[in-house]
Amino acid sequence: MKEARTEILVVGGGLGGVAAALAALRAGRRVIMTEEFDWIGGQLTSQAVPPDEHSWVEQFGITASYRTLRQEIRNYYREHYPLTERSRQWRDLNPGAGWVSRLCHEPRVALTVMEGMLAPYRGAGRLRVLQPYRPVGAEMDADRVRAVRLAHRDNGDEIIVAASYVIDATETGELLPLTGTEYVTGFEPRSMTGEPSAPEEAQPLNMQAVSICFAVDHVDGDQTIDKPDRYDFWRSYEPAFWGGPLLGWKSPHPRTLEIVERSFTPNPDDDPLLVDADQRRNPGDANLWTFRRIAARRNFTDGFYASDICLVNWPMIDYFEGPVFEIPDDQARGHLKAAEGLSRCVFYWLQTEAPRTDGGIGFRGLRLRGDVTGTEHGLAQAPYIRESRRIKAAYTIVEQDLSLAVRGERGAINYADSVGVGMYRIDLHPSTGGDNYIDVGSCPFEIPLGALLPQRVTNLLPAGKNIGTTHITNGCYRLHPVEWNIGEVAGLLSAHCLERGTTPHAVRENKDRLVEFQTLLERQGIELRWPEIKGY
């Protein structure tokens, strides 16, 4: 079996993994990063999810390196795309003019930018990327991870990588069971957390829906695909709380749970520069075409894009029939296959039976854009997984730390060991236990270092949705800029501990060491506190 050695091993090349690798590399360390799918970037690329960001993202509340990522995405459009002069001069260019984010864009552009950020370190031989590999085993030395065993996705070839520090940047916290690191899943009981939104009893297999996203445009001609398997099942499927068939324009409003009807109008003749993507005022999902649009044709020279490109990450593709981890592998694969089938059925329904505003049915000009998502089958490369295994941490973030209803004018708790900031509503999609949305107002919050530290294992750090949140608070710590911040801190902390000959736990437990590390973070452009603002 092949073997390799590095200083820092980053398992998973999503946003947190890329941020962790970059931070460690900038600190002068050698890194091996792995990724299971064909594209690095996770949520932003292989999962094809435009960034979910807070309302102040253009001013503050993100790390300097995440701001650079956003700026370089815009620069790439300005340098390589035939933008109209008006759009080219738009300081806060939103290529897709989507309402979900101030920066909706095609996933391949983000991929290109992140690959460019990593390229110098690859060329210098300081970064090795193992792709497509996933973790299948681990070797432990008491409370330390000695090495991780990785298998090639396609041919099964294995390699063992030993490292001083291991960062789990996988989408589901895959290293936690492999290393014996203590963790939780699903809903914790209220008796444990005291959270207003928690159930009375633990529900470890009750997890948020997963979604298989896809991109579409609308062109001339009949683009109708063959009728998918199980279409009749999904067409007649009615969740108890949905207010009608899952395949329909009606569904619960996440914040009020009222049944609302959304619209869908391909290629509206709207002005991209008038789109105001501000979640405080408007969640943006009234018209599903513009909600997560990733290319607005009017941003580009006349006729260059035959159509807008719309990213489908809508309520009706949420799959909550069962979890996709913590169950036998064949069952997990079955649920992922069913989620993929649901997305295909939604697309077929859009083409053939979706009600139109003119009284007709179906949009036969809709076309799957697998070239945009990087697949032949037309869907995203990877499932959008909203919830992970979560470490049992030195500190667990609970709802009452940051809930707007609980904290009010006081704002979220200030953590002495803050290592970053974030903001998003506590946004939980329907879950595998049959629960409706939980969507709770949030205060701008901080990221405590204690939430990144497993209670026992000393050299394993989480870099994404696997930090010490609860099922409830995961809903606001799982979004793009927060995941990047968490990963960046994990990479810097690993490098710092190697340089100082200390441990992550010792950094948190000693005031002088903590202040030294926080000063390092601030010098790297990581904000530790919010200015005086209110949540939403």
Side-chain angles (χ1 to χ4, degrees), residues 8-277:
I8 298 171
L9 171 63
V10 180
V11 181
L15 281 176
V18 171
L22 280 169
L25 291 162
R26 288 198 308 266
R29 295 298 166 178
R30 294 187 176 273
V31 175
I32 291 177
M33 183 177 77
T34 77
E35 171 53 34
E36 177 180 356
F37 294 97
D38 293 340
W39 290 356
I40 62 170
Q43 291 188 70
L44 208 53
T45 58
S46 61
Q47 297 168 37
V49 181
D52 289 297
E53 299 170 335
H54 58 73
S55 297
W56 304 280
V57 67
E58 305 295 352
Q59 290 81 42
F60 45 78
I62 56 176
T63 76
S65 64
Y66 186 78
R67 188 172 302 284
T68 297
L69 171 66
R70 300 177 85 255
Q71 289 171 340
E72 289 304 310
I73 289 171
R74 285 176 170 145
N75 289 342
Y76 192 89
Y77 275 95
R78 291 190 175 101
E79 292 173 8
H80 298 284
Y81 279 67
L83 296 168
T84 65
E85 191 56 34
R86 186 165 171 259
S87 295
R88 190 177 304 280
Q89 297 303 320
W90 186 5
R91 189 196 69 173
D92 298 335
L93 172 65
N94 189 344
W99 285 84
V100 72
S101 166
R102 298 183 189 274
L103 183 60
C104 291
H105 55 83
E106 296 174 46
R108 197 183 298 272
V109 176
L111 171 68
T112 302
V113 170
M114 282 184 279
E115 289 283 11
M117 295 169 83
L118 293 171
Y121 303 104
R122 289 199 193 198
R126 293 172 52 197
L127 169 66
R128 180 181 179 188
V129 179
L130 298 176
Q131 193 175 12
Y133 277 84
R134 60 166 300 182
V136 293
E139 297 179 4
M140 300 296 294
D141 183 5
D143 293 339
R144 290 183 58 83
V145 184
R146 194 191 72 78
V148 175
R149 183 162 52 90
L150 303 145
H152 193 281
R153 180 193 66 194
D154 301 328
N155 60 30
D157 287 352
E158 294 191 354
I159 182 172
I160 291 180
V161 181
S164 299
Y165 279 89
V166 177
I167 295 175
D168 185 348
T170 62
E171 296 299 322
T172 59
E174 292 178 43
L175 288 185
L176 304 185
L178 294 178
T179 60
T181 302
E182 293 78 8
Y183 66 91
V184 297
T185 63
F187 274 100
E188 296 91 342
R190 189 176 303 167
S191 60
M192 176 186 296
T193 67
E195 296 175 303
S197 301
E200 293 298 329
E201 297 182 359
Q203 300 173 16
L205 291 181
N206 190 358
M207 306 179 198
Q208 285 193 72
V210 302
S211 299
I212 311 291
C213 302
F214 55 93
V216 299
D217 62 6
H218 191 272
V219 295
D220 293 336
D222 188 342
Q223 309 293 331
T224 308
I225 64 171
D226 294 337
K227 182 179 177 181
D229 293 340
R230 301 194 75 206
Y231 177 72
D232 292 335
F233 169 80
W234 286 115
R235 182 177 178 273
S236 61
Y237 182 74
E238 293 193 24
F241 53 83
W242 206 256
L246 181 67
L247 274 57
W249 298 131
K250 292 181 179 180
S251 62
H253 188 289
R255 299 184 186 182
T256 67
L257 302 185
E258 296 177 78
I259 305 304
V260 296
E261 184 167 2
R262 295 173 173 86
S263 62
F264 181 71
T265 52
N267 291 319
D269 197 29
D270 59 330
D271 184 348
L273 273 70
L274 296 181
V275 171
D276 181 19

Side-chain angles (χ1 to χ4, degrees), residues 223-402:
Q223 309 293 331
T224 308
I225 64 171
D226 294 337
K227 182 179 177 181
D229 293 340
R230 301 194 75 206
Y231 177 72
D232 292 335
F233 169 80
W234 286 115
R235 182 177 178 273
S236 61
Y237 182 74
E238 293 193 24
F241 53 83
W242 206 256
L246 181 67
L247 274 57
W249 298 131
K250 292 181 179 180
S251 62
H253 188 289
R255 299 184 186 182
T256 67
L257 302 185
E258 296 177 78
I259 305 304
V260 296
E261 184 167 2
R262 295 173 173 86
S263 62
F264 181 71
T265 52
N267 291 319
D269 197 29
D270 59 330
D271 184 348
L273 273 70
L274 296 181
V275 171
D276 181 19
D278 189 334
Q279 294 289 312
R280 287 173 298 180
R281 291 189 279 268
N282 183 357
D285 59 349
N287 187 322
L288 293 173
W289 181 269
T290 55
F291 180 36
R292 295 182 186 270
R293 182 173 52 184
I294 56 175
R297 69 195 187 286
R298 288 191 59 188
N299 267 327
F300 307 95
T301 55
D302 190 38
F304 188 77
Y305 275 70
S307 166
D308 295 348
I309 302 174
C310 168
L311 195 284
V312 177
N313 179 16
W314 305 341
M316 65 184 75
I317 70 165
D318 280 6
Y319 178 86
F320 40 84
E321 289 298 288
V324 297
F325 58 91
E326 290 296 290
I327 57 176
D329 287 348
D330 59 337
Q331 293 180 27
R333 286 192 295 269
H335 283 307
L336 285 172
K337 186 75 173 177
E340 179 182 319
L342 169 59
S343 290
R344 290 193 180 281
C345 290
V346 168
F347 178 64
Y348 183 75
W349 176 82
L350 288 168
Q351 289 184 312
T352 60
E353 294 194 81
R356 302 195 308 257
T357 55
D358 64 5
I361 60 169
F363 299 85
R364 295 188 179 274
L366 285 178
R367 179 175 60 170
L368 276 176
R369 292 296 304 271
D371 56 325
V372 169
T373 56
T375 64
E376 292 185 4
H377 55 65
L379 307 180
Q381 295 176 23
Y384 177 30
I385 297 175
R386 297 178 173 88
E387 184 171 346
S388 173
R389 300 175 180 91
R390 304 181 298 279
I391 62 168
K392 289 187 176 180
Y395 182 86
T396 299
I397 304 158
V398 294
E399 181 180 1
Q400 50 271 40
D401 283 6
L402 53 101

